[in-house]
Amino acid sequence: MNIVSIYTGYVLDILFGDPYSLPHPVIYIGKFINYVEKIIRRIFKTEKSLKIGGFFLNFIVVFTTYFATDLIIKLSQNVNYYLYLAVNSFVIYTIFATKCLKDEAVKIYNVLKEEDIVKARKQLSFIVGRDTQDLSKQEIIRATVETVAENTVDGIIAPMMYIFIGGAPLGMMYKAVNTLDSMVGYKNDKYMNLGFASAKIDDLFNFIPARITACIMAVASLFLGFSFKKSIKVFIRDRKNHKSPNCAYPEGAVAGALGIQLGGTNIYFGQEVYKPTIGDKLRDIEEEDILKTNKIMYLTSILSLIMFTFIDKVI
């Protein structure tokens, strides 16, 4: 683990976001998942056996990603320190998603300010799994705030924690876990069994980061002039108001801080999925809450970087 690489990667992500003009590791992880999935389905042909196949899928993808990243890092290290620093920093840079997350949310905010509800629905569809074609303006705002809150965990804080623990290889390994959940972890007919392992393993990897994120979000809210007490109160009170064991923590922290209500019923693949509400509706949700959530996300990432650095130095 190289602290210079971590800070360099973090700053590069803040400045430039995802390198659209460069090959992104997640694209290749996704292609590898598709390739291995086809093999798994040929071997495990019954629906019951696919649940076992899902664990093999995770094992193959996750550990291949870890060892491939570790090999690249070690090969660069064998050449010289500066190449190692450059390669390590770049890999870490691609693991973070701070600016990308902010930019996608701002795109939706800008379209909503233009009162183009159809375009806003389309823009939202790029970052959420729920059906967006019939969402109202407030539902679009709610979905955007929820997505930024949730992804503060798996796009920033969780990978940051794993990078501090095991460097870029462990950070990229987490990225593989998260990508598997995104691609095959859906609870629909196609992935009900094959995606079981992916969903559970992702829950496990995010268990501690989600709780850390909620606590730091509350502190960030204090610095930003939002409600620290309500942030703490809501994420503790409503922590079980979600099908995921982790998502209600960051959502609750944001909802409490801003005095808004998140959660509720959504449509996924044409099917209505009931979700309890998170937070208290002290006021109607509005476009500015997207920007406020972005601020919480950014400051949470900075405070987490400081905290993990301190822990690393002490340990």
Side-chain angles (χ1 to χ4, degrees), residues 242-253:
H242 201 288
K243 291 185 179 295
S244 161
N246 302 317
C247 289
Y249 282 86
E251 286 188 24

Side-chain angles (χ1 to χ4, degrees), residues 28-40:
Y28 297 105
I29 292 173
K31 289 180 178 180
F32 187 53
I33 290 170
N34 285 330
Y35 174 75
V36 178
E37 179 188 343
K38 291 174 183 176
I39 296 173
I40 293 294

Side-chain angles (χ1 to χ4, degrees), residues 214-215 217-219 221-222 225-239 248-260 278-283 296:
C215 292
M217 278 180 162
V219 176
S221 298
L222 176 66
F226 305 136
S227 179
F228 170 79
K229 289 183 179 179
K230 288 176 183 175
S231 182
I232 294 288
K233 174 188 172 183
V234 171
F235 89 66
I236 292 175
R237 185 195 69 193
D238 296 346
R239 67 190 184 278
Y249 282 86
E251 286 188 24
V254 169
L258 301 182
I260 58 176
I278 297 171
D280 302 309
K281 192 177 180 180
L282 303 180
R283 61 176 179 81
I296 293 173

Side-chain angles (χ1 to χ4, degrees), residues 18-149:
D18 281 347
Y20 295 114
S21 59
L22 295 172
H24 198 289
V26 171
I27 294 174
Y28 297 105
I29 292 173
K31 289 180 178 180
F32 187 53
I33 290 170
N34 285 330
Y35 174 75
V36 178
E37 179 188 343
K38 291 174 183 176
I39 296 173
I40 293 294
R41 288 187 181 277
R42 285 201 295 267
I43 298 172
F44 300 90
K45 296 182 179 180
T46 67
E47 288 299 313
K48 195 172 183 179
S49 67
L50 272 177
K51 188 171 283 190
I52 299 171
F55 284 95
F56 280 99
L57 173 64
N58 276 262
F59 180 84
I60 294 167
V61 172
V62 167
F63 284 99
T64 298
T65 301
Y66 176 88
F67 288 115
T69 306
D70 188 53
L71 177 62
I72 291 169
I73 298 298
K74 285 180 177 175
L75 287 173
S76 67
Q77 198 169 20
N78 288 337
V79 176
N80 62 59
Y81 173 76
Y82 296 104
L83 180 62
Y84 157 72
L85 189 64
V87 171
N88 201 33
S89 298
F90 179 78
V91 172
I92 291 172
Y93 159 43
T94 64
I95 294 172
F96 290 129
T98 315
K99 187 175 186 296
C100 179
L101 185 57
K102 184 265 291 183
D103 287 347
E104 292 302 317
V106 170
K107 287 177 186 176
I108 296 167
Y109 168 83
N110 289 335
V111 175
L112 286 172
K113 294 298 284 186
E114 296 169 1
E115 299 294 334
D116 191 339
I117 191 76
V118 175
K119 190 174 180 181
R121 290 168 180 159
K122 180 67 175 177
Q123 195 68 49
L124 177 65
S125 70
F126 298 139
I127 62 170
V128 300
R130 72 192 70 176
D131 297 346
T132 64
Q133 61 267 25
D134 297 317
L135 295 184
S136 67
K137 181 178 180 179
Q138 285 202 324
E139 287 173 328
I140 293 170
I141 297 169
R142 173 170 67 85
T144 306
V145 169
E146 289 171 355
T147 299
V148 174

